[in-house]
Amino acid sequence: MNKQIFRLLLLFLMIQPLLNAQTKDMVIIKGGQYIPLYGKKSTLVKVKDFEMDIYPVSNKDYKNFVKQYPKWQKSKAIKLFADEMYLTNWKNDVQIKDTELDNSPVTYVSWYAAKDYCECQNKRLPTIDEWEYVAMADETTKDARSKPTFNKQILSWYETPKTNENSIGSHPKNAWGVYDLHGLVWEWTLDFNAVLISGESRKDVDNDSNLFCGSASLNATDLMNYAAFMRYAFRGSLKANYSMKNLGFRCVKDIIKKDQ
Amino acid sequence: MKKSLKNISILLVNTIVLVTLIQAYRISHESNQEVVQTYQCPMHCEGDKTYTTAKNCPVCNMQLSSTKSKSTAITNNTISETSIFNLTSLWKTEEDKTITLKELKGKTLVVVMIYTSCKSACPRLIADMRNIEAEIPDKKIKSIQFVFVSIDPTTDTPKKLKDFAIENFMDDEQWTFLQGTVSSVREFANVLSVKYKEISPVDFSHSNIISVFDAQGELIHQQEGLGVSNKETIDAILKVTP
């Protein structure tokens, strides 16, 4: 009898890593509601449960990716999908420059490349709402937005140059167990082009109602949240083929319920 | 026992045949891709003319450069790196036909992103499209496709798009309505630099842009905003349409 239990236990131990293999380096984010910076006033946005990469994609991860999908190598990526800055910190198609670290977040990648990377891993890019939802957390609280120190910390990082050259995972993880949402690089989101602020800064005060249909209903809900405001402004200024020094990405995955 | 041995040997032979077939297919596939490898003058002295060897251009004598094998999905080497026909996503038309954008190649494309339940700007955008169409001489219409891409792929099914086309008297050959997926619509919007956001399940906020592509899928003109003159857009269309 004991032997049988032991065998079962052994079998379980052997199978377990296989079950977990699918979600390696990801954590489950329990969905919920939150009020984002932009949206209809006091409208709660629902975020479903999902899994998120605990680290941004590293140079090393991306090297493996371009080996497997040569169409994303530096010399082969087509202009429609990546501008001339694409992987500009790489020596050649398969190697980063000697000054770069394997463990730094990959940057100089376009939205198309980031999106395809995630899809090739059976994942996808996070939406703005998903990203912001997880990024509200500090080390101890899942919504730390009301803490003045939290905002200050993020803003002080925004002022620090060359953080993209640091290694991933060197700051403490947040309350969800996710690293580096703040403090390393900005990150692509699936729907970054949902930010409807016109490019001209003086026009931002007033919504350009001719250029955008229905934009008058979109207002900032929390003007004190200057860090988030900067992120939205940054997203609003991006184009999908841009490849930039301080812009990387990470992937997420939908949770497919078994009974469905 | 003998029987099962026989069975196993048949299985084995079958497997070997299958593996050989797959191998043969892969080899023929790879060699197909090699044929795609072509060279072109970097100055485009002879337009899009390509060569199969890396010699010098007969006109300016510059060394020909490789046109790159591009994405493996592309077998036709006449489209450039900036052509929208590089997008490989699948779309449904209002006739419930599944197509890739490349199937629209060869015609001038006038593209706008809308959603059929929109009440504010979309009717004006649609009116703009109709006004543009009305200005095009009849003999050129055959070479132009007016394309509406829905930014609400969950609501705008092929049937809904077809109803919309009939309702707005846009059911002729030159009008096409496309339903994609949430992801392919985002991608397409990015190619057009169109921004949009779902405000509620039925309402979207979006930028009002009409884009013109030539027969090779190159973006040649964009008209931004509502109530602006269509003249430049019409000129651009006429210029690239034979």
Side-chain angles (χ1 to χ4, degrees):
Chain A
M1 185 63 189
N2 261 347
K3 230 180 188 176
Q4 224 168 7
I5 291 174
F6 179 72
R7 268 190 197 156
L8 272 173
L9 201 74
L10 201 71
L11 190 75
F12 179 72
L13 283 175
M14 277 163 67
I15 291 173
Q16 209 196 11
L18 292 175
L19 291 173
N20 284 351
Q22 214 186 355
T23 56
K24 193 176 162 282
D25 286 340
M26 290 188 102
V27 282
I28 292 175
I29 306 294
K30 183 98 192 82
Q33 294 183 321
Y34 87 112
I35 299 176
L37 179 71
Y38 275 93
K40 262 186 186 165
K41 257 188 190 153
S42 67
T43 301
L44 284 165
V45 166
K46 263 189 202 159
V47 176
K48 282 188 193 156
D49 295 0
F50 64 100
E51 286 180 272
M52 182 178 248
D53 284 354
I54 58 173
Y55 302 117
V57 174
S58 69
N59 280 329
K60 194 181 170 192
D61 297 333
Y62 207 77
K63 268 198 246 176
N64 291 333
F65 171 67
V66 296
K67 268 176 213 160
Q68 213 182 338
Y69 300 94
K71 71 169 177 173
W72 287 113
Q73 286 171 3
K74 187 179 173 174
S75 71
K76 299 197 179 78
I78 65 169
K79 276 186 203 140
L80 184 71
F81 299 140
D83 67 8
E84 68 281 1
M85 293 299 282
Y86 180 71
L87 298 184
T88 192
N89 58 339
W90 287 47
K91 229 192 301 194
N92 53 39
D93 276 348
V94 290
Q95 284 175 301
I96 51 172
K97 280 185 184 159
D98 297 334
T99 49
E100 309 291 319
L101 300 175
D102 263 354
N103 207 25
S104 290
V106 68
T107 55
Y108 295 110
V109 283
S110 67
W111 176 85
Y112 300 101
K115 178 174 174 283
D116 204 45
Y117 177 99
C118 292
E119 284 170 5
C120 287
Q121 330 282 321
N122 228 346
K123 300 179 187 175
R124 61 175 172 82
L125 285 173
T127 62
I128 295 177
D129 284 329
E130 286 166 342
W131 196 97
E132 290 287 332
Y133 179 76
V134 186
M136 299 187 300
D138 68 358
E139 287 157 45
T140 51
T141 326
K142 285 180 178 166
D143 186 356
R145 291 184 298 177
S146 55
K147 295 185 190 172
T149 46
F150 179 61
N151 247 324
K152 251 183 215 160
Q153 207 183 349
I154 298 172
L155 286 172
S156 80
W157 160 57
Y158 289 170
E159 289 167 10
T160 314
K162 292 192 180 171
T163 47
N164 63 303
E165 289 169 17
N166 298 338
S167 292
I168 58 173
S170 39
H171 294 283
K173 58 187 176 188
N174 76 5
W176 293 104
V178 178
Y179 292 87
D180 300 322
L181 285 168
H182 306 291
L184 215 53
V185 286
W186 306 84
E187 294 181 8
W188 280 113
T189 45
L190 186 64
D191 55 348
F192 79 93
N193 62 336
V195 179
L196 301 169
I197 357 183
S198 62
E200 222 239 297
S201 58
R202 279 164 298 175
K203 278 187 187 168
D204 286 353
V205 184
D206 196 34
N207 286 297
D208 194 333
S209 51
N210 256 349
L211 206 51
F212 302 122
C213 161
S215 63
S217 57
L218 297 170
N219 286 307
T221 51
D222 178 11
L223 287 173
M224 295 305 285
N225 195 346
Y226 192 64
F229 190 81
M230 282 177 74
R231 286 196 295 277
Y232 279 86
F234 178 67
R235 288 175 191 131
S237 69
L238 290 173
K239 280 192 176 166
N241 63 345
Y242 283 8
S243 312
M244 295 164 70
K245 183 184 169 179
N246 53 358
L247 181 57
F249 68 100
R250 75 178 70 216
C251 312
V252 299
K253 204 170 165 181
D254 290 312
I255 294 172
I256 297 148
K257 296 228 168 73
K258 273 174 197 153
D259 51 317
Q260 278 176 353
Chain B
M1 187 63 197
K2 255 189 177 169
K3 210 174 178 186
S4 75
L5 255 179
K6 202 178 163 192
N7 274 347
I8 288 174
S9 68
I10 289 175
L11 204 72
L12 211 72
V13 170
N14 274 345
T15 318
I16 292 171
V17 169
L18 198 71
V19 168
T20 330
L21 276 175
I22 291 171
Q23 213 82 12
Y25 171 77
R26 278 176 67 179
I27 290 166
S28 74
H29 207 68
E30 274 161 22
S31 62
N32 259 347
Q33 278 178 5
E34 261 161 43
V35 175
V36 174
Q37 183 61 35
T38 53
Y39 301 88
Q40 206 171 33
C41 172
M43 306 306 292
H44 298 283
C45 290
E46 296 168 287
D48 284 335
K49 188 169 176 185
T50 55
Y51 296 87
T52 47
T53 50
K55 53 186 179 184
N56 289 351
C57 169
V59 182
C60 67
N61 209 28
M62 261 176 92
Q63 169 141 38
L64 300 178
S65 59
S66 154
T67 55
K68 287 187 191 173
S69 48
K70 291 182 186 157
S71 152
T72 46
I74 301 154
T75 43
N76 187 337
N77 54 20
T78 56
I79 61 166
S80 83
E81 287 199 8
T82 47
S83 166
I84 51 160
F85 301 133
N86 286 303
L87 294 172
T88 50
S89 45
L90 297 174
W91 301 79
K92 284 235 168 180
T93 69
E94 80 283 3
E95 307 294 344
D96 206 16
K97 214 178 110 192
T98 305
I99 62 161
T100 59
L101 291 176
K102 224 177 140 196
E103 286 170 54
L104 301 172
K105 186 169 169 257
K107 285 185 176 185
T108 305
L109 303 180
V110 185
V111 184
V112 72
M113 296 187 84
I114 51 131
Y115 61 106
T116 60
S117 38
C118 172
K119 294 286 172 282
S120 52
C122 303
R124 287 168 70 188
L125 271 176
I126 289 156
D128 271 341
M129 288 285 272
R130 226 198 315 249
N131 291 341
I132 291 169
E133 195 254 5
E135 294 288 323
I136 308 286
D138 283 348
K139 61 176 194 280
K140 287 206 176 192
I141 283 290
K142 270 189 204 144
S143 313
I144 303 171
Q145 202 66 34
F146 294 86
V147 184
F148 296 83
V149 175
S150 171
I151 54 174
D152 185 8
T154 35
T155 313
D156 287 336
T157 57
K159 190 187 174 302
K160 192 119 193 236
L161 293 171
K162 176 77 176 174
D163 292 347
F164 185 81
I166 295 169
E167 206 176 292
N168 286 281
F169 308 102
M170 293 191 293
D171 199 27
D172 296 334
E173 286 273 304
Q174 68 268 36
W175 307 101
T176 298
F177 295 79
L178 296 179
Q179 177 202 30
T181 60
V182 172
S183 160
S184 67
V185 173
R186 274 280 161 216
E187 184 174 65
F188 190 74
N190 275 326
V191 171
L192 301 189
S193 307
V194 167
K195 291 171 188 269
Y196 65 95
K197 180 182 171 66
E198 190 177 346
I199 303 173
S200 72
V202 286
D203 255 323
F204 284 81
S205 194
H206 63 101
S207 34
N208 301 317
I209 297 179
I210 294 176
S211 310
V212 180
F213 294 88
D214 69 14
Q216 299 300 311
E218 301 283 340
L219 181 64
I220 53 156
H221 183 76
Q222 284 196 311
Q223 168 178 324
E224 290 188 34
L226 284 176
V228 297
S229 157
N230 294 327
K231 191 180 174 299
E232 276 180 44
T233 308
I234 294 161
D235 288 348
I237 296 169
L238 293 177
K239 208 175 138 195
V240 293
T241 311

